[in-house]
Amino acid sequence: MLYEAERRDLCTVVKTMFDRFNTNAAGGNVSVRMNGKHIIMTPTLMSQEKLCNLEPYQILVVDMNENIVEGDGRITREINMHMACYHENESIGCVLHAHPKESFVFATLGMDMPNLTEATQKLGKIPTLEYRPATTVELAEIVRKHMISLGEKVTPAAMLLNKHGILITDETLHKAYDMLERIEYNAYVASKALVFEKLGIAAIPNGVSAH
């Protein structure tokens, strides 16, 4: 089996994501660059049908032209979003898309997320991108343009997908997952901070805006 250890590791991470409400049964997908020829990627319907409880052979090995080299399953239609990242910057080693519970509040409202916690400061702004329907070429193009706008600051990077979830790019799978956890805590803090500010209990520090 190609990349067996890496595929097994990806299974562990996506199951952890699901169990910790960092994605839901409505979707999510994760890919990892192996080299210049291949990525490994979760199959379509990993959440809906399998509750993210995958076996290594179900993780797909995919070439850079989006052809399956090995694995039992079908490619998600959101692969175009992943490839938009990989093709634009070779330093990206992992693309993680999820539907995390706390961050989804900001994504659904189309709001940029205030970046308040110390653990997320390296990200800078956490924007919500312009809305385009999930799986579409148009959404992949929005993501590609955002990658270009970031220049070399794509690892780590995070963006909310309007009404759809989050997309994180980083050097490795575990760094990307670590950032997902950090952002979820930041989202929880930010939502509470906005309520406190509205009630006049406290102001959001450092003049951070919700928009």
Side-chain angles (χ1 to χ4, degrees), residues 52-70:
C52 295
N53 190 15
L54 300 170
E55 296 294 334
Y57 72 88
Q58 294 172 310
I59 300 295
L60 306 179
V61 179
V62 181
D63 69 22
M64 301 310 286
N65 293 316
E66 303 180 18
N67 300 306
I68 295 176
V69 175
E70 189 176 278

Side-chain angles (χ1 to χ4, degrees), residues 8 29 103 131 135 171 185 187 195 204:
R8 191 174 300 278
N29 32 74
S103 300
Y131 175 75
T135 77
E171 296 173 347
Y185 271 82
V195 173
I204 293 180

Side-chain angles (χ1 to χ4, degrees), residues 6 28 35 51 55 63 65 75 78 98 111 118 120 131-133 138 144 155 163 205:
E6 292 86 351
N35 46 50
L51 303 180
E55 296 294 334
D63 69 22
N65 293 316
I75 297 177
E78 292 189 308
M111 295 171 58
E118 184 178 38
T120 52
Y131 175 75
R132 292 292 186 278
E138 291 79 11
R144 186 185 70 82
T155 55
K163 298 178 176 58

Side-chain angles (χ1 to χ4, degrees), residues 35-54:
N35 46 50
K37 294 182 178 180
H38 298 146
I39 64 170
I40 59 172
M41 188 172 194
T42 54
T44 190
L45 303 178
M46 73 157 182
S47 301
Q48 295 95 322
E49 292 186 352
K50 301 176 178 64
L51 303 180
C52 295
N53 190 15
L54 300 170

Side-chain angles (χ1 to χ4, degrees), residues 146-206:
H146 185 67
M147 288 292 111
I148 293 172
S149 74
L150 292 174
E152 295 305 310
K153 297 180 180 179
V154 295
T155 55
M159 63 227 72
L160 299 176
L161 305 176
N162 200 312
K163 298 178 176 58
H164 185 48
I166 196 168
L167 190 71
I168 296 171
T169 55
D170 214 327
E171 296 173 347
T172 69
L173 171 62
H174 283 270
K175 285 184 176 182
Y177 179 71
D178 172 73
M179 192 52 65
L180 175 63
E181 287 269 359
R182 293 175 185 227
I183 292 168
E184 269 296 88
Y185 271 82
N186 179 77
Y188 174 80
V189 171
S191 61
K192 295 289 187 181
L194 289 169
V195 173
F196 285 10
E197 183 180 51
K198 193 70 173 179
L199 293 174
I201 297 172
I204 293 180
N206 301 322

